[in-house]
Amino acid sequence: MKNLKLFPHIPLTVLILTISLSAFSLDKGKGMKDLFKGKFYIGTAMNAWHITGKDTASIRIIKQQFNSITADNCMKSGPIQPEEGKFNFKLPDQFVEFGMQNQMFIVGHCLVWHSQAPKWFFVDEKGNDVSREVLISRMKNHIQTVVGRYKGKVNGWDVVNEAILDDGSWRQSKFYTIIGPDFVKLAFQFAHEADPDAELYYNDYSMALPGRREGVVKMVKELQKDGVRISGIGMQGHCSLDFPKIEEFEKSILAFASLGVKVMITEMDISALPSPKDSRGADVDSRVEYKNELNPYTKGLPEEVEKAHAKRYHEFFDLFLKHQDKISRVTLWGVQDGQSWKNNFPVPGRTDYPLLFDRNYQPKSFITSLLSGDKADKPKSDH
Ligand code: GLA
């Protein structure tokens, strides 16, 4: 490793990967999945156009670049059980089939989340909150039906999504207010019963914030004390050019890994746009009014911003490679910029550039520098 010091201007990602692999190129059919093999899975989220095969350009990229997939929406409780007892498995079945056919690590997302849950889940026929017992039984039925259907096929589940707030306290969701903090433990138990071999995760955003980090560590310790099986912690990784600090992100990787669970980056994207204050996380309920100054790059990214964006991706991937012994998967939240949720969050109607492929399905410089030995300024070491 001492040779690495000779090339301080070259990102560690490029150095490590170009030293260990000879010339890769997009044309030769090699992708990030080959580069990161033996280090961590590299994944993407699949939307309905991908799953149904309509977006053939994305499908080509997914097969070439990724070896793990997460369903972006179709497995959430709203879409999958829109009415009590009526399950809509059409897209989820196709999603799982795609993953199996392509030998991918398949992630089910997500079983228990306050958002995109159907209204009926929490209320009785008069519209009043259901009792604790009823909500537990609905949660059990939901989890066991969904996990049970894909037993032995889906490799890991985001069991609970976003239960903790920035200050480490509990989110006052219906699951929390009606069941109490035990809803997390119960959800993991129900999922484990339905598929004892599946990995089970807790997943959340803004995980680099000290308050949330500490809150999640505390919650996971409690689960472990109670003998609940939890395999990993997902750090969503919705980032921007200036948030969060890499050092804080690293502290969370270390804190979570020290619990003896796998750490994964589950929904990564890096917004290239100004992040309005107070909405830097990924709280789906936060919204900021559109203003032209918040949407400065409608005609394309200026070169210096493009460079800063690529550098930011390199810094994060340097960190992931540094901790590859703790990180089992890095998943990007989508394939190409035009389809990213970031174009409408937290400000609607913007033109953002958060992913690794542009609106024309072309790889960004981050990927080409990783995949092409030539462009990566290959060091003249004898490795
Ligand atoms: C959260 C959820 C994801 C997705 C994003 C927004 O991070 O976990 O499923 O809904 O918000 O796209």
Side-chain angles (χ1 to χ4, degrees):
M1 280 286 156
K2 69 179 183 322
N3 284 344
L4 298 185
K5 296 208 179 85
L6 296 173
F7 306 98
H9 58 292
I10 305 175
L12 194 60
T13 26
V14 173
L15 270 178
I16 290 181
L17 296 168
T18 51
I19 287 170
S20 56
L21 296 151
S22 56
F24 263 89
S25 101
L26 286 173
D27 309 332
K28 287 183 191 151
K30 299 281 186 183
M32 289 187 291
K33 65 178 169 28
D34 306 293
L35 245 62
F36 295 123
K37 197 169 184 179
K39 297 178 168 63
F40 39 71
Y41 287 112
I42 181 91
T44 189
M46 289 183 79
N47 62 33
W49 296 290
H50 304 154
I51 296 172
T52 52
K54 289 192 182 116
D55 180 356
T56 49
S58 284
I59 291 293
R60 210 165 41 241
I61 292 173
I62 292 171
K63 288 185 181 171
Q64 189 181 47
Q65 299 292 333
F66 299 104
N67 52 16
S68 174
I69 50 169
T70 304
D72 77 341
N73 277 313
C74 70
M75 285 180 148
K76 289 169 178 169
S77 60
I80 211 169
Q81 196 186 175
E83 287 172 54
E84 186 162 18
K86 285 208 173 144
F87 288 84
N88 182 0
F89 288 125
K90 196 160 177 237
L91 274 182
D93 282 358
Q94 284 176 274
F95 162 77
V96 171
E97 186 57 33
F98 177 89
M100 291 183 64
Q101 267 177 13
N102 293 288
Q103 283 114 43
M104 291 175 162
F105 187 91
I106 305 173
V107 181
H109 171 84
C110 48
L111 297 169
V112 171
W113 188 29
H114 65 280
S115 183
Q116 290 183 258
K119 289 214 173 62
W120 65 263
F121 216 100
F122 309 103
V123 294
D124 62 20
E125 59 287 351
K126 291 191 193 119
N128 299 319
D129 278 1
V130 290
S131 66
R132 184 173 192 272
E133 288 64 38
V134 169
L135 188 53
I136 290 175
S137 111
R138 286 182 180 177
M139 197 171 77
K140 180 174 183 180
N141 184 46
H142 180 78
I143 292 174
Q144 299 206 326
T145 307
V146 176
V147 176
R149 183 173 182 94
Y150 301 112
K151 184 174 180 213
K153 297 180 174 174
V154 166
N155 303 87
W157 285 97
D158 288 333
V159 178
V160 175
N161 201 27
E162 305 180 354
I164 300 292
L165 297 175
D166 283 358
D167 64 359
S169 65
W170 287 94
R171 178 186 295 278
Q172 300 295 306
S173 69
K174 286 287 177 197
F175 289 107
Y176 182 83
T177 54
I178 297 177
I179 301 178
D182 266 3
F183 83 88
V184 178
K185 175 179 164 177
L186 291 167
F188 275 83
Q189 283 170 343
F190 297 149
H192 184 54
E193 282 163 21
D195 187 352
D197 294 328
E199 292 192 349
L200 304 178
Y201 317 128
Y202 176 74
N203 191 50
D204 215 331
Y205 63 88
S206 290
M207 294 284 253
L209 294 178
R212 202 177 286 245
R213 177 195 307 140
E214 281 152 31
V216 170
V217 165
K218 188 164 166 243
M219 180 190 73
V220 170
K221 279 189 175 161
E222 288 288 319
L223 292 174
Q224 292 174 323
K225 202 174 81 203
D226 289 345
V228 173
R229 180 194 149 123
I230 168 165
S231 335
I233 298 179
M235 302 174 68
Q236 290 184 3
H238 296 295
C239 304
S240 60
L241 291 176
D242 57 2
F243 175 84
K245 288 206 175 97
I246 296 274
E247 303 80 61
E248 294 302 313
F249 206 96
E250 180 168 33
K251 283 185 200 161
S252 295
I253 294 175
L254 295 172
F256 298 150
S258 74
L259 297 166
V261 298
K262 294 179 180 176
V263 179
M264 50 212 76
I265 319 306
T266 54
E267 304 184 17
M268 183 151 199
D269 44 30
I270 302 180
S271 171
L273 299 182
S275 32
K277 253 191 160 175
D278 303 328
S279 60
R280 303 175 123 190
D283 188 336
V284 285
D285 296 328
S286 72
R287 283 283 181 275
V288 177
E289 203 186 318
Y290 180 89
K291 287 196 197 99
N292 280 338
E293 63 260 37
L294 294 174
N295 190 22
Y297 312 128
T298 50
K299 303 231 157 55
L301 265 194
E303 203 183 322
E304 73 275 11
V305 184
E306 206 283 319
K307 278 195 179 144
H309 190 256
K311 182 163 173 272
R312 187 86 165 131
Y313 261 112
H314 275 297
E315 285 165 358
F316 272 107
F317 273 76
D318 283 353
L319 181 70
F320 304 154
L321 285 168
K322 178 176 171 193
H323 294 298
Q324 58 184 265
D325 58 326
K326 305 169 189 70
I327 293 176
S328 60
R329 171 170 56 94
V330 177
T331 290
L332 278 297
W333 203 242
V335 175
Q336 59 106 317
D337 289 340
Q339 297 172 349
S340 168
W341 74 300
K342 291 300 295 176
N343 294 305
N344 287 301
F345 180 88
V347 184
R350 296 200 295 178
T351 306
D352 204 347
Y353 303 83
L355 294 168
L356 297 183
F357 289 80
D358 69 19
R359 286 170 166 74
N360 298 316
Y361 299 88
Q362 293 308 304
K364 305 229 184 131
S365 66
F366 169 74
I367 297 208
T368 48
S369 74
L370 282 187
L371 297 188
S372 138
D374 301 337
K375 286 191 188 154
D377 217 353
K378 230 200 271 181
K380 295 172 195 64
S381 81
D382 53 4
H383 282 251

